[in-house]
Amino acid sequence: MNVAATPAKRGVRSVVWSTVAPFLGLLLVLAIFWLYGLIWKPDSVFLSGFRMALIAKQTAIVGMGALGMTVIIASGGIDLSVGSVLALTSVTLALSLKEGAGPALALALTVGAGVAAGLVNGILVTGLRLVPFIVTLGTMLVFRGLAEEVSSQNKIPAGAPDWMSTLLDPPAPGSVALVCRGVWIVVVLAVVLATVLRRTVFGTRVFAIGSNESAARLCGLPVAQTKIAVYALGGFFTALAGLFEFNNLNRQGDPTTRVGLELDVIAAVVIGGGSLNGGRGSVLGSLVGATMMTTLRNGCAFAEVGDPVQKIVVGVIIVAAVTIDQLRQRRRSE
Amino acid sequence: MPAPLLKMSGVSKRFGATRALEGVTFGVERGQVHALIGENGAGKSTLMKILAGVHAPDAGSMEVDGRPYAPTGPAAARAAGVAMIYQELSIAPDLSVEANVLLGRERSRAGFVRRAEQRRIAKEALSRLSHPDLDLRARAGDLPIALQQLVEIARALASEARVLVLDEPTSSLTREDAMRLFEVIRDLRAHGLGLVYISHFLEEVAQVSDVFSVLRDGEVVSSGVMSETTLDAIVRAMVGRELGEMFPHVPHVPGEPILEVRGLTGVRAPRGVDLVVRRGEILGLAGLVGAGRSELVRCIFGLDAVRSGSVRVVAVGPVGQAPRASIARGLGFVSEDRKGEGLALSLSIEDNLTMTRLEPYSRFGWLSLSRRRRSARDWMERVRCKARGPEQSIDALSGGNQQKIAIARLLHQDADVLLLDEPTRGIDVGTKAEIYRLVGDLAAQGKAIVLVSSYLPELMNVCDRIGVLSRGELRAVKPAGEWTEEDVMRCATASAPIEVRT
C-alpha cells in the first residue's frame, strides 16, 4: 500500500501547487513593476487608480475570452480564431445598432454571430476530423475577412444606450463597485462556468474528452456533440468580449481590432493551469492568468519599454508558461 | 576459435515487482540463425529491447565480437553493428527508398547530401538482398509491405550491421513473401551475418533457423540445435509450468444465447467470424499477437470498422457501428490499452467509474456529486479496489486496481455482455486471482463474458469454451476441457492455408 500512497500524496501537492502557482506568477509580475516604480520612477505609482482601471478594462476583455478558451482547452481543443471572432462580433454589434436595431436585438445578433462562429469551428473539427489548431488557424482568417467585408474595412461608430456602452467605465468615485461593471460580469459568468464544469454532466464530459478522447468514445460519450457545444460556448464568451471591445473603443466596431488576442487568451489559460493536452483547466486560474497578461502589458507601458520589447517580454512569458506546463506533465507521467 | 559474434551472459531485468528476465544466456555465431521462441510475455521483447539499448540490464554482460557491448540507445546499438527489424516497420513512408536506406547515416559534405555515394550504397545493399532493380526514387510508403521490410533490412546492411534481429518478420507477409524472405535470410547467413529470429510460427522457425532458445517466464528453459528437436518438444517447453491455486472456481451454468456474431469481417481482421455466446458463459479467445483477437472484440463492440457481417444481441437487436449504441444494447468493453483508451488517467476514480452512465446521478444535466460518490464507493467495495477514496486520481492506483475500476465501470453500466481484452495483462498474481473470481461471479449472475487473453493457463482454467484465432480467422471453438495447451498452441501457430490468388 505504501507504493500507492506516495504518488497519491504527490497528486494532492500538485493540485495545490497548480492552484497557487498562477497567483504567485501574478504577484511576481506586480512586485517587479512595483519595485521598478520605486527605483526608477519614484514620482509615480504603478498601481495608481488610473492604471488599475486600465488593467481592469483590459482584463475584462482578455478574461472573457479566457473563460471560453478554458472550456475549449479542457476539452483538448484550441481556438486561434478568438481575436477575429471578437472583431466580427464587435462589428456585428455596431452595424446592427447603426442599421436601427434595438439594443436587445443587436445584442442577440452579436451573441448569435459569436455562437455561429463557434459552431462553425466545432463542426469543422468534428465533422472533418481535423486538428483544431489548423481549423481555427483557417477560420481565424475567414472570420477576420468576414468582419472586414461587412464593415467595408471601416471603423463603425454607433449610438448605444448607456447600459451597454459604459460597461468598462470606472465606477463613480466612492462607489462600492471598485472596478468597472465589465469585470463583475466576468466574475459572475466565471462562477457560473466553474459550477457548470464541476457540477454538470456536460462539464464532466468536457474533462473526460479532454483527458482521453478514446476512452470517452469507448464509454459511449457523445464526443462530437460535446465538442461542438464547447466551441459554441467559446463563441458565446468571445461575443461578450466583442461587446466589451465595442465599449472599449467608445461605441465603435472595428474589424481590425485585437489581432493576436488569441495568444494572450491561450497564455492566460495555460498560466492558470490549463493543459494544452486537455483534461485540465481552471476557471479561477484562467482569470488570474488573464490579469497577469494585462498587468504585464500595462507594466511594460508603465516602464516605457516600448512596443518591441513588450512583444518580446510577452512572447517569453508564453513560452515559459508552456514550458512549465510541459514540465508539470512530465513530472506527472513519471 | 574466435569469440562468438554476440554473447549475452546472465542477463537479468526487473520492472518494479515483475521479473522480466532472469540470468539469460544467449548468443549468436557468424553465419548462424538463432531462433528465440516463447509465449507472449515470456520476455522476448525485453531481451530485444536490452539488445537494442532501449533498456539497460540490471545484471549480466553482453559482448559483440569479444568486445564489451553496453548500448546506451538504438544509435549506439547500430554503431556497434546490431540492427533490429521490428514487427512494426520503422519506414518513413513519405521518403524515397534511397532516403530510407540511408536514414540516420546520410552521406554528406558540408551539409549537402552526396547523392551519388548514397545511391551507390543503397544500390549495393539492395543487390545483396537480390533486389538491385528496386526504384530508389520510389516513395517507400507506396511499396508493398514485403518490399518495405526489405528496405529496412537494406538499411541495416548499409549501416554495416553484423547482428540482425528480426522480430516476427512474417506476421504481415503472405506465404510467398515469407518464402522469399527466408531466401534472403539464408543468403545473409551465408555472408557471415548472425541473425536472431523471433517468431511464433513454429513451422517457419524450424525451416529457417539453426539453433533455438525457448524463453519462459524470463528464463531460458530449453535450447539446442533445431534439427535435433521436434516441434512438440518446443511447444512443451513453451507452455510447461506449474499451476497453483490461481484459479478460484465459481460454479456457473451457461444458459440461452445472448450474443450472435455472423460472418464478421473487419478491415484486416477478423475474417468471417461466426460466434454465439450464452448467458452465464465465459468464452475465451486465444491466439498469437496479431491474430485478430482484439480486432474481433473491437468489431463486436463497434470500435473498429466492420466490412461485413453482423452482431446481434438476442432480444435487443443488431449492434450498430458505434460504442454508444453498443452500450445501449448491453455490451461493455474493457480495452487492453488501459492508458491509451481504457481510462482517463488524469481524472478521479469516480469520474472513470461512472463515465458511461451518469443518468442515475443527474437531473436536467445537474449532477449530484454526493450520490455519485456514495455509489462509486459501493462499487469500489464490490470489486475490492484498494484506494483512499472515490475522489482519488486514478493514475495513483496500481495496474490491478485500475483494471478493477475498468471492469467495475461495465458493472455500473449494467452490461450483459462483457468483452474483456487482456484484462490481466501486467497485473500481479494476487489481483489476477481476484479478477478471475470476479469474472466467475459475473457468469454465475448470468452475464456473458468474452475473455481475450495471451495467457493460456488462465483461458484453460477460467473459460467454459475456448476459440482460437489465427491470421484473423476463428479456427476452432471447443469446450475448454477438450483443449490441451499444446493443441491451442498448435492451432494458433499453424500457418494459414496457402491462399490461391486470382
Side-chain angles (χ1 to χ4, degrees), chain A residues 25-65:
Chain A
L26 179 58
L27 283 177
L28 184 72
V29 170
L30 285 171
I32 288 172
F33 289 117
W34 178 69
L35 276 176
Y36 180 92
L38 276 189
I39 298 165
W40 281 285
K41 301 183 99 183
D43 45 339
S44 67
V45 191
F46 173 50
L47 285 179
S48 62
F50 165 73
R51 201 166 301 283
M52 287 270 278
L54 205 58
I55 289 178
K57 197 163 152 177
Q58 299 298 334
T59 302
I61 294 170
V62 176
M64 189 63 94

mmCIF file of all heavy atoms in Angstrom, chain A residues 25-65:
data_model
loop_
_atom_site.group_PDB
_atom_site.id
_atom_site.type_symbol
_atom_site.label_atom_id
_atom_site.label_comp_id
_atom_site.label_asym_id
_atom_site.label_seq_id
_atom_site.Cartn_x
_atom_site.Cartn_y
_atom_site.Cartn_z
ATOM 1 N N GLY A 25 2.618 33.842 -9.780
ATOM 2 C CA GLY A 25 3.079 34.489 -11.007
ATOM 3 C C GLY A 25 2.596 35.926 -11.069
ATOM 4 O O GLY A 25 3.357 36.851 -11.367
ATOM 5 N N LEU A 26 1.299 36.107 -10.761
ATOM 6 C CA LEU A 26 0.717 37.450 -10.802
ATOM 7 C C LEU A 26 1.408 38.363 -9.782
ATOM 8 O O LEU A 26 1.786 39.489 -10.096
ATOM 9 C CB LEU A 26 -0.777 37.371 -10.506
ATOM 10 C CG LEU A 26 -1.536 38.696 -10.474
ATOM 11 C CD1 LEU A 26 -1.400 39.438 -11.792
ATOM 12 C CD2 LEU A 26 -3.005 38.476 -10.151
ATOM 13 N N LEU A 27 1.610 37.844 -8.563
ATOM 14 C CA LEU A 27 2.274 38.627 -7.524
ATOM 15 C C LEU A 27 3.686 39.011 -7.959
ATOM 16 O O LEU A 27 4.131 40.137 -7.751
ATOM 17 C CB LEU A 27 2.329 37.833 -6.211
ATOM 18 C CG LEU A 27 1.006 37.785 -5.445
ATOM 19 C CD1 LEU A 27 1.142 36.923 -4.189
ATOM 20 C CD2 LEU A 27 0.555 39.201 -5.072
ATOM 21 N N LEU A 28 4.350 38.057 -8.607
ATOM 22 C CA LEU A 28 5.712 38.306 -9.071
ATOM 23 C C LEU A 28 5.726 39.462 -10.066
ATOM 24 O O LEU A 28 6.527 40.400 -9.958
ATOM 25 C CB LEU A 28 6.278 37.029 -9.705
ATOM 26 C CG LEU A 28 7.729 37.110 -10.150
ATOM 27 C CD1 LEU A 28 8.652 37.132 -8.936
ATOM 28 C CD2 LEU A 28 8.082 35.933 -11.049
ATOM 29 N N VAL A 29 4.799 39.400 -11.021
ATOM 30 C CA VAL A 29 4.726 40.453 -12.032
ATOM 31 C C VAL A 29 4.447 41.802 -11.369
ATOM 32 O O VAL A 29 5.101 42.811 -11.670
ATOM 33 C CB VAL A 29 3.636 40.116 -13.073
ATOM 34 C CG1 VAL A 29 3.388 41.311 -13.982
ATOM 35 C CG2 VAL A 29 4.050 38.904 -13.893
ATOM 36 N N LEU A 30 3.481 41.815 -10.448
ATOM 37 C CA LEU A 30 3.155 43.058 -9.745
ATOM 38 C C LEU A 30 4.370 43.580 -8.984
ATOM 39 O O LEU A 30 4.693 44.770 -9.038
ATOM 40 C CB LEU A 30 1.995 42.828 -8.767
ATOM 41 C CG LEU A 30 0.608 42.690 -9.398
ATOM 42 C CD1 LEU A 30 -0.414 42.250 -8.366
ATOM 43 C CD2 LEU A 30 0.182 44.009 -10.034
ATOM 44 N N ALA A 31 5.049 42.665 -8.287
ATOM 45 C CA ALA A 31 6.200 43.055 -7.474
ATOM 46 C C ALA A 31 7.294 43.662 -8.346
ATOM 47 O O ALA A 31 7.905 44.679 -7.981
ATOM 48 C CB ALA A 31 6.731 41.839 -6.709
ATOM 49 N N ILE A 32 7.522 43.053 -9.508
ATOM 50 C CA ILE A 32 8.588 43.548 -10.379
ATOM 51 C C ILE A 32 8.321 44.996 -10.779
ATOM 52 O O ILE A 32 9.196 45.868 -10.662
ATOM 53 C CB ILE A 32 8.712 42.652 -11.637
ATOM 54 C CG1 ILE A 32 9.335 41.314 -11.245
ATOM 55 C CG2 ILE A 32 9.543 43.340 -12.714
ATOM 56 C CD1 ILE A 32 9.334 40.293 -12.357
ATOM 57 N N PHE A 33 7.064 45.259 -11.227
ATOM 58 C CA PHE A 33 6.775 46.613 -11.690
ATOM 59 C C PHE A 33 6.716 47.608 -10.528
ATOM 60 O O PHE A 33 7.061 48.779 -10.680
ATOM 61 C CB PHE A 33 5.482 46.633 -12.511
ATOM 62 C CG PHE A 33 5.667 45.968 -13.843
ATOM 63 C CD1 PHE A 33 4.955 44.827 -14.173
ATOM 64 C CD2 PHE A 33 6.574 46.471 -14.759
ATOM 65 C CE1 PHE A 33 5.135 44.213 -15.390
ATOM 66 C CE2 PHE A 33 6.770 45.857 -15.983
ATOM 67 C CZ PHE A 33 6.052 44.722 -16.297
ATOM 68 N N TRP A 34 6.268 47.116 -9.381
ATOM 69 C CA TRP A 34 6.228 47.992 -8.212
ATOM 70 C C TRP A 34 7.649 48.421 -7.827
ATOM 71 O O TRP A 34 7.932 49.594 -7.598
ATOM 72 C CB TRP A 34 5.549 47.234 -7.064
ATOM 73 C CG TRP A 34 5.478 47.989 -5.778
ATOM 74 C CD1 TRP A 34 4.708 49.095 -5.525
ATOM 75 C CD2 TRP A 34 6.199 47.709 -4.585
ATOM 76 N NE1 TRP A 34 4.897 49.510 -4.241
ATOM 77 C CE2 TRP A 34 5.810 48.688 -3.624
ATOM 78 C CE3 TRP A 34 7.126 46.732 -4.212
ATOM 79 C CZ2 TRP A 34 6.324 48.703 -2.332
ATOM 80 C CZ3 TRP A 34 7.627 46.740 -2.929
ATOM 81 C CH2 TRP A 34 7.242 47.714 -2.006
ATOM 82 N N LEU A 35 8.546 47.444 -7.804
ATOM 83 C CA LEU A 35 9.945 47.732 -7.496
ATOM 84 C C LEU A 35 10.542 48.673 -8.532
ATOM 85 O O LEU A 35 11.243 49.631 -8.215
ATOM 86 C CB LEU A 35 10.762 46.442 -7.446
ATOM 87 C CG LEU A 35 10.740 45.693 -6.121
ATOM 88 C CD1 LEU A 35 11.503 44.376 -6.246
ATOM 89 C CD2 LEU A 35 11.367 46.570 -5.035
ATOM 90 N N TYR A 36 10.230 48.377 -9.789
ATOM 91 C CA TYR A 36 10.726 49.213 -10.876
ATOM 92 C C TYR A 36 10.323 50.668 -10.641
ATOM 93 O O TYR A 36 11.124 51.582 -10.765
ATOM 94 C CB TYR A 36 10.176 48.712 -12.204
ATOM 95 C CG TYR A 36 10.624 49.519 -13.390
ATOM 96 C CD1 TYR A 36 11.770 49.155 -14.101
ATOM 97 C CD2 TYR A 36 9.917 50.637 -13.798
ATOM 98 C CE1 TYR A 36 12.187 49.895 -15.185
ATOM 99 C CE2 TYR A 36 10.325 51.392 -14.879
ATOM 100 C CZ TYR A 36 11.471 51.019 -15.571
ATOM 101 O OH TYR A 36 11.887 51.750 -16.631
ATOM 102 N N GLY A 37 9.019 50.799 -10.255
ATOM 103 C CA GLY A 37 8.492 52.142 -9.998
ATOM 104 C C GLY A 37 9.229 52.826 -8.848
ATOM 105 O O GLY A 37 9.596 53.998 -8.939
ATOM 106 N N LEU A 38 9.459 52.071 -7.785
ATOM 107 C CA LEU A 38 10.141 52.619 -6.619
ATOM 108 C C LEU A 38 11.518 53.146 -6.982
ATOM 109 O O LEU A 38 11.942 54.219 -6.546
ATOM 110 C CB LEU A 38 10.306 51.529 -5.545
ATOM 111 C CG LEU A 38 9.126 51.280 -4.611
ATOM 112 C CD1 LEU A 38 9.551 50.345 -3.487
ATOM 113 C CD2 LEU A 38 8.629 52.608 -4.022
ATOM 114 N N ILE A 39 12.226 52.381 -7.809
ATOM 115 C CA ILE A 39 13.617 52.713 -8.084
ATOM 116 C C ILE A 39 13.755 53.774 -9.175
ATOM 117 O O ILE A 39 14.428 54.783 -9.002
ATOM 118 C CB ILE A 39 14.402 51.443 -8.474
ATOM 119 C CG1 ILE A 39 14.383 50.465 -7.303
ATOM 120 C CG2 ILE A 39 15.831 51.782 -8.861
ATOM 121 C CD1 ILE A 39 14.801 49.074 -7.665
ATOM 122 N N TRP A 40 13.063 53.509 -10.321
ATOM 123 C CA TRP A 40 13.317 54.391 -11.450
ATOM 124 C C TRP A 40 12.255 55.476 -11.654
ATOM 125 O O TRP A 40 12.459 56.405 -12.397
ATOM 126 C CB TRP A 40 13.468 53.566 -12.734
ATOM 127 C CG TRP A 40 14.828 52.947 -12.835
ATOM 128 C CD1 TRP A 40 15.997 53.595 -13.147
ATOM 129 C CD2 TRP A 40 15.167 51.582 -12.605
ATOM 130 N NE1 TRP A 40 17.038 52.705 -13.124
ATOM 131 C CE2 TRP A 40 16.572 51.457 -12.801
ATOM 132 C CE3 TRP A 40 14.443 50.446 -12.264
ATOM 133 C CZ2 TRP A 40 17.237 50.252 -12.664
ATOM 134 C CZ3 TRP A 40 15.098 49.257 -12.140
ATOM 135 C CH2 TRP A 40 16.488 49.160 -12.331
ATOM 136 N N LYS A 41 11.089 55.274 -11.061
ATOM 137 C CA LYS A 41 10.061 56.305 -11.248
ATOM 138 C C LYS A 41 9.443 56.661 -9.897
ATOM 139 O O LYS A 41 8.268 56.418 -9.668
ATOM 140 C CB LYS A 41 8.981 55.815 -12.202
ATOM 141 C CG LYS A 41 9.488 55.441 -13.572
ATOM 142 C CD LYS A 41 8.344 55.032 -14.480
ATOM 143 C CE LYS A 41 7.949 56.205 -15.369
ATOM 144 N NZ LYS A 41 6.797 55.878 -16.205
ATOM 145 N N PRO A 42 10.249 57.238 -9.028
ATOM 146 C CA PRO A 42 9.770 57.455 -7.653
ATOM 147 C C PRO A 42 8.596 58.423 -7.588
ATOM 148 O O PRO A 42 7.851 58.413 -6.626
ATOM 149 C CB PRO A 42 10.999 58.024 -6.933
ATOM 150 C CG PRO A 42 11.925 58.447 -8.009
ATOM 151 C CD PRO A 42 11.607 57.724 -9.257
ATOM 152 N N ASP A 43 8.408 59.238 -8.639
ATOM 153 C CA ASP A 43 7.344 60.233 -8.549
ATOM 154 C C ASP A 43 6.004 59.715 -9.085
ATOM 155 O O ASP A 43 5.017 60.420 -9.087
ATOM 156 C CB ASP A 43 7.755 61.513 -9.285
ATOM 157 C CG ASP A 43 8.363 61.200 -10.642
ATOM 158 O OD1 ASP A 43 8.821 60.047 -10.812
ATOM 159 O OD2 ASP A 43 8.371 62.073 -11.516
ATOM 160 N N SER A 44 5.964 58.460 -9.569
ATOM 161 C CA SER A 44 4.660 57.933 -9.977
ATOM 162 C C SER A 44 4.471 56.535 -9.385
ATOM 163 O O SER A 44 5.423 55.835 -9.083
ATOM 164 C CB SER A 44 4.554 57.863 -11.510
ATOM 165 O OG SER A 44 5.446 56.905 -12.004
ATOM 166 N N VAL A 45 3.213 56.168 -9.235
ATOM 167 C CA VAL A 45 2.901 54.877 -8.613
ATOM 168 C C VAL A 45 2.424 53.917 -9.702
ATOM 169 O O VAL A 45 1.618 54.293 -10.554
ATOM 170 C CB VAL A 45 1.798 55.043 -7.550
ATOM 171 C CG1 VAL A 45 1.672 53.773 -6.715
ATOM 172 C CG2 VAL A 45 2.091 56.253 -6.695
ATOM 173 N N PHE A 46 2.899 52.665 -9.665
ATOM 174 C CA PHE A 46 2.491 51.712 -10.691
ATOM 175 C C PHE A 46 0.992 51.432 -10.611
ATOM 176 O O PHE A 46 0.268 51.523 -11.585
ATOM 177 C CB PHE A 46 3.287 50.407 -10.547
ATOM 178 C CG PHE A 46 2.797 49.322 -11.460
ATOM 179 C CD1 PHE A 46 2.607 49.568 -12.826
ATOM 180 C CD2 PHE A 46 2.521 48.066 -10.978
ATOM 181 C CE1 PHE A 46 2.160 48.576 -13.665
ATOM 182 C CE2 PHE A 46 2.061 47.069 -11.813
ATOM 183 C CZ PHE A 46 1.884 47.323 -13.153
ATOM 184 N N LEU A 47 0.543 51.130 -9.390
ATOM 185 C CA LEU A 47 -0.867 50.798 -9.247
ATOM 186 C C LEU A 47 -1.697 52.019 -8.877
ATOM 187 O O LEU A 47 -2.384 52.066 -7.858
ATOM 188 C CB LEU A 47 -1.054 49.669 -8.230
ATOM 189 C CG LEU A 47 -0.654 48.296 -8.771
ATOM 190 C CD1 LEU A 47 -0.845 47.225 -7.715
ATOM 191 C CD2 LEU A 47 -1.440 47.945 -10.018
ATOM 192 N N SER A 48 -1.617 53.019 -9.698
ATOM 193 C CA SER A 48 -2.452 54.193 -9.494
ATOM 194 C C SER A 48 -3.889 53.836 -9.863
ATOM 195 O O SER A 48 -4.141 52.827 -10.516
ATOM 196 C CB SER A 48 -1.970 55.336 -10.386
ATOM 197 O OG SER A 48 -2.088 54.937 -11.737
ATOM 198 N N GLY A 49 -4.819 54.678 -9.441
ATOM 199 C CA GLY A 49 -6.220 54.434 -9.777
ATOM 200 C C GLY A 49 -6.406 54.351 -11.284
ATOM 201 O O GLY A 49 -7.099 53.476 -11.797
ATOM 202 N N PHE A 50 -5.731 55.212 -11.997
ATOM 203 C CA PHE A 50 -5.848 55.220 -13.450
ATOM 204 C C PHE A 50 -5.407 53.880 -14.055
ATOM 205 O O PHE A 50 -6.072 53.282 -14.879
ATOM 206 C CB PHE A 50 -4.993 56.369 -14.002
ATOM 207 C CG PHE A 50 -4.748 56.277 -15.469
ATOM 208 C CD1 PHE A 50 -5.774 56.548 -16.379
ATOM 209 C CD2 PHE A 50 -3.496 55.904 -15.959
ATOM 210 C CE1 PHE A 50 -5.548 56.453 -17.737
ATOM 211 C CE2 PHE A 50 -3.275 55.800 -17.323
ATOM 212 C CZ PHE A 50 -4.297 56.080 -18.219
ATOM 213 N N ARG A 51 -4.242 53.414 -13.561
ATOM 214 C CA ARG A 51 -3.716 52.184 -14.147
ATOM 215 C C ARG A 51 -4.565 50.963 -13.743
ATOM 216 O O ARG A 51 -4.785 50.054 -14.537
ATOM 217 C CB ARG A 51 -2.256 51.983 -13.739
ATOM 218 C CG ARG A 51 -1.536 51.038 -14.691
ATOM 219 C CD ARG A 51 -0.044 51.085 -14.502
ATOM 220 N NE ARG A 51 0.494 52.428 -14.725
ATOM 221 C CZ ARG A 51 0.682 52.958 -15.927
ATOM 222 N NH1 ARG A 51 0.381 52.271 -17.004
ATOM 223 N NH2 ARG A 51 1.182 54.164 -16.056
ATOM 224 N N MET A 52 -5.051 51.012 -12.513
ATOM 225 C CA MET A 52 -5.938 49.936 -12.060
ATOM 226 C C MET A 52 -7.152 49.840 -12.978
ATOM 227 O O MET A 52 -7.556 48.751 -13.399
ATOM 228 C CB MET A 52 -6.417 50.223 -10.621
ATOM 229 C CG MET A 52 -5.364 50.022 -9.560
ATOM 230 S SD MET A 52 -5.349 48.363 -8.936
ATOM 231 C CE MET A 52 -6.696 48.502 -7.761
ATOM 232 N N ALA A 53 -7.717 50.980 -13.295
ATOM 233 C CA ALA A 53 -8.900 50.997 -14.152
ATOM 234 C C ALA A 53 -8.565 50.445 -15.531
ATOM 235 O O ALA A 53 -9.332 49.683 -16.127
ATOM 236 C CB ALA A 53 -9.444 52.414 -14.265
ATOM 237 N N LEU A 54 -7.392 50.828 -16.019
ATOM 238 C CA LEU A 54 -6.953 50.363 -17.335
ATOM 239 C C LEU A 54 -6.767 48.847 -17.330
ATOM 240 O O LEU A 54 -7.215 48.133 -18.241
ATOM 241 C CB LEU A 54 -5.633 51.055 -17.672
ATOM 242 C CG LEU A 54 -5.311 51.193 -19.165
ATOM 243 C CD1 LEU A 54 -6.417 51.955 -19.858
ATOM 244 C CD2 LEU A 54 -3.967 51.884 -19.337
ATOM 245 N N ILE A 55 -6.107 48.360 -16.291
ATOM 246 C CA ILE A 55 -5.863 46.922 -16.196
ATOM 247 C C ILE A 55 -7.197 46.184 -16.092
ATOM 248 O O ILE A 55 -7.422 45.163 -16.754
ATOM 249 C CB ILE A 55 -4.961 46.601 -14.979
ATOM 250 C CG1 ILE A 55 -3.530 47.096 -15.249
ATOM 251 C CG2 ILE A 55 -4.943 45.101 -14.697
ATOM 252 C CD1 ILE A 55 -2.571 46.875 -14.104
ATOM 253 N N ALA A 56 -8.132 46.729 -15.292
ATOM 254 C CA ALA A 56 -9.432 46.086 -15.124
ATOM 255 C C ALA A 56 -10.149 45.982 -16.462
ATOM 256 O O ALA A 56 -10.705 44.937 -16.824
ATOM 257 C CB ALA A 56 -10.272 46.871 -14.123
ATOM 258 N N LYS A 57 -10.112 47.061 -17.218
ATOM 259 C CA LYS A 57 -10.774 47.125 -18.517
ATOM 260 C C LYS A 57 -10.215 46.057 -19.468
ATOM 261 O O LYS A 57 -10.965 45.310 -20.101
ATOM 262 C CB LYS A 57 -10.464 48.522 -19.069
ATOM 263 C CG LYS A 57 -11.298 49.023 -20.167
ATOM 264 C CD LYS A 57 -11.050 50.535 -20.209
ATOM 265 C CE LYS A 57 -11.232 51.099 -21.579
ATOM 266 N NZ LYS A 57 -11.071 52.563 -21.586
ATOM 267 N N GLN A 58 -8.882 46.018 -19.545
ATOM 268 C CA GLN A 58 -8.243 45.040 -20.428
ATOM 269 C C GLN A 58 -8.518 43.616 -19.954
ATOM 270 O O GLN A 58 -8.743 42.713 -20.756
ATOM 271 C CB GLN A 58 -6.727 45.266 -20.481
ATOM 272 C CG GLN A 58 -6.312 46.625 -21.005
ATOM 273 C CD GLN A 58 -6.770 46.836 -22.429
ATOM 274 O OE1 GLN A 58 -6.948 45.895 -23.172
ATOM 275 N NE2 GLN A 58 -7.004 48.098 -22.793
ATOM 276 N N THR A 59 -8.493 43.448 -18.623
ATOM 277 C CA THR A 59 -8.691 42.113 -18.083
ATOM 278 C C THR A 59 -10.109 41.619 -18.376
ATOM 279 O O THR A 59 -10.321 40.425 -18.605
ATOM 280 C CB THR A 59 -8.432 42.100 -16.567
ATOM 281 O OG1 THR A 59 -7.106 42.566 -16.333
ATOM 282 C CG2 THR A 59 -8.559 40.695 -15.999
ATOM 283 N N ALA A 60 -11.075 42.526 -18.368
ATOM 284 C CA ALA A 60 -12.442 42.117 -18.670
ATOM 285 C C ALA A 60 -12.489 41.464 -20.052
ATOM 286 O O ALA A 60 -13.131 40.426 -20.249
ATOM 287 C CB ALA A 60 -13.375 43.318 -18.607
ATOM 288 N N ILE A 61 -11.796 42.075 -21.008
ATOM 289 C CA ILE A 61 -11.831 41.550 -22.380
ATOM 290 C C ILE A 61 -11.054 40.237 -22.487
ATOM 291 O O ILE A 61 -11.568 39.216 -22.941
ATOM 292 C CB ILE A 61 -11.263 42.599 -23.370
ATOM 293 C CG1 ILE A 61 -12.193 43.816 -23.395
ATOM 294 C CG2 ILE A 61 -11.107 41.993 -24.741
ATOM 295 C CD1 ILE A 61 -11.640 45.004 -24.144
ATOM 296 N N VAL A 62 -9.790 40.243 -22.033
ATOM 297 C CA VAL A 62 -8.980 39.023 -22.123
ATOM 298 C C VAL A 62 -9.597 37.916 -21.259
ATOM 299 O O VAL A 62 -9.668 36.751 -21.659
ATOM 300 C CB VAL A 62 -7.522 39.298 -21.683
ATOM 301 C CG1 VAL A 62 -6.707 38.016 -21.690
ATOM 302 C CG2 VAL A 62 -6.891 40.327 -22.591
ATOM 303 N N GLY A 63 -10.095 38.293 -20.066
ATOM 304 C CA GLY A 63 -10.678 37.306 -19.157
ATOM 305 C C GLY A 63 -11.919 36.672 -19.736
ATOM 306 O O GLY A 63 -12.130 35.461 -19.613
ATOM 307 N N MET A 64 -12.761 37.481 -20.395
ATOM 308 C CA MET A 64 -13.965 36.930 -21.005
ATOM 309 C C MET A 64 -13.590 35.894 -22.070
ATOM 310 O O MET A 64 -14.163 34.806 -22.136
ATOM 311 C CB MET A 64 -14.788 38.067 -21.622
ATOM 312 C CG MET A 64 -16.168 37.651 -22.093
ATOM 313 S SD MET A 64 -17.214 37.084 -20.732
ATOM 314 C CE MET A 64 -18.075 38.586 -20.317
ATOM 315 N N GLY A 65 -12.599 36.257 -22.884
ATOM 316 C CA GLY A 65 -12.129 35.288 -23.883
ATOM 317 C C GLY A 65 -11.550 34.048 -23.214
ATOM 318 O O GLY A 65 -11.758 32.920 -23.671
#
